[in-house]
Amino acid sequence: RSGRFTHKRNMKNWQTITVGEYQYLMKIIHSDMDEFEKEIQVCACLKGCTPTDIEAMTFGGFIDLKKEISWIFSDPPKAKPVRKWKRYKFIYDIRKINTGRYASIQFFLQAGLVDNLHNLAATIIKPRWRRYDATRHEDYAEDIKDAPFLSVYSGLVFFCRLFIEFIRVNLDRITEPKMKETLIYLRHNLDGLFMLNDLQSTSDAH
């Protein structure tokens, strides 16, 4: 479903690209594919057409198009964290997330950040008007693939900043070995993953 490009007239940008589309593009960009073929595939995805359409362009038009989509090779810009999206509410109160979800965060980080952006986001959401159901995590994660990438990414950055501070303050009070091990792992690995020093402060979420 999401992650594959759709045939739309409007060029994608940071404000319109979805989580799934971003993941799809990162797989192309970091693949062993020939560099010229990568450019064709990325242009096709962001323009909403087929690689064949790109190949049929004049070379001058292709060069101009490459300039238009160069943003995808840069770091994501600052944005406000998402608070609500469709039927989901994002939870930024660390105390309202149970231990099992923290273990999930550790698992998905170890499995690969970009590939698991949707899974990570699904650990900090709650369906509106109903309880979180861990058995439906995969369904939540699939839904998140259609969410705006920049808002979800910024939400994860914001959550991780709060979480790092929570660990710093509370780690010495935690005596359960497995939980402490999980928190130590997360503290050591979260800080650089989301470029925390370059993105928004915790005051950005309102």
Side-chain angles (χ1 to χ4, degrees), residues 2-205:
S2 49
R4 298 286 180 178
F5 60 81
T6 55
H7 297 269
K8 296 180 180 179
R9 293 181 180 179
N10 295 332
M11 181 77 72
K12 289 286 184 177
N13 54 48
W14 279 125
Q15 282 66 48
T16 59
I17 192 171
T18 67
V19 170
E21 287 167 337
Y22 182 82
Q23 290 173 314
Y24 176 67
L25 285 165
M26 290 303 104
K27 285 182 180 180
I28 293 174
I29 291 171
H30 297 292
S31 72
D32 295 330
M33 193 182 299
D34 173 83
E35 290 301 316
F36 187 60
E37 182 61 26
K38 283 183 185 180
E39 292 174 344
I40 291 174
Q41 295 288 337
V42 170
C43 285
C45 178
L46 293 175
K47 188 171 174 59
C49 62
T50 68
T52 302
D53 293 331
I54 301 298
E55 291 171 354
M57 295 177 66
T58 64
F59 189 66
F62 178 61
I63 295 300
D64 289 340
L65 180 58
K66 282 174 56 179
K67 293 177 182 178
E68 287 186 61
I69 59 90
S70 61
W71 56 269
I72 193 62
F73 298 98
S74 62
D75 293 334
K78 296 179 181 180
K80 286 188 176 181
V82 62
R83 302 295 290 183
K84 297 176 183 177
W85 179 74
K86 291 190 175 180
R87 62 189 185 92
Y88 296 107
K89 179 179 180 181
F90 284 70
I91 303 171
Y92 298 121
D93 187 339
I94 304 297
R95 298 166 298 177
K96 292 183 179 180
I97 294 182
N98 62 34
T99 303
R101 292 212 231 179
Y102 289 133
S104 294
I105 292 171
Q106 178 184 14
F107 173 80
F108 291 125
L109 283 175
Q110 290 174 324
L113 173 61
V114 174
D115 287 345
N116 287 284
L117 281 172
H118 60 305
N119 283 313
L120 286 165
T123 63
I124 64 169
I125 62 173
K126 175 186 177 298
R128 297 170 72 181
W129 311 295
R130 68 185 67 181
R131 294 175 61 87
Y132 177 87
D133 182 353
T135 65
R136 298 198 60 194
H137 179 275
E138 187 174 338
D139 294 331
Y140 303 153
E142 282 298 306
D143 285 345
I144 292 297
K145 287 184 179 181
D146 290 326
F149 163 76
L150 198 57
S151 294
V152 171
Y153 177 82
S154 298
L156 286 171
V157 171
F158 178 70
F159 174 83
C160 288
R161 295 187 73 159
L162 294 176
F163 192 24
I164 289 169
E165 180 62 17
F166 172 82
I167 294 172
R168 187 187 68 78
V169 172
N170 293 283
L171 188 60
D172 290 341
R173 304 176 188 175
I174 297 171
T175 57
E176 201 283 312
K178 186 64 178 177
M179 182 60 176
K180 194 159 191 169
E181 178 184 340
T182 297
L183 292 179
I184 290 172
Y185 170 85
L186 291 172
R187 183 185 62 185
H188 288 167
N189 286 273
L190 285 175
D191 199 15
L193 283 175
F194 295 96
M195 300 170 290
L196 298 179
N197 294 327
D198 296 327
L199 292 180
Q200 73 282 349
S201 69
T202 55
S203 62
D204 285 339

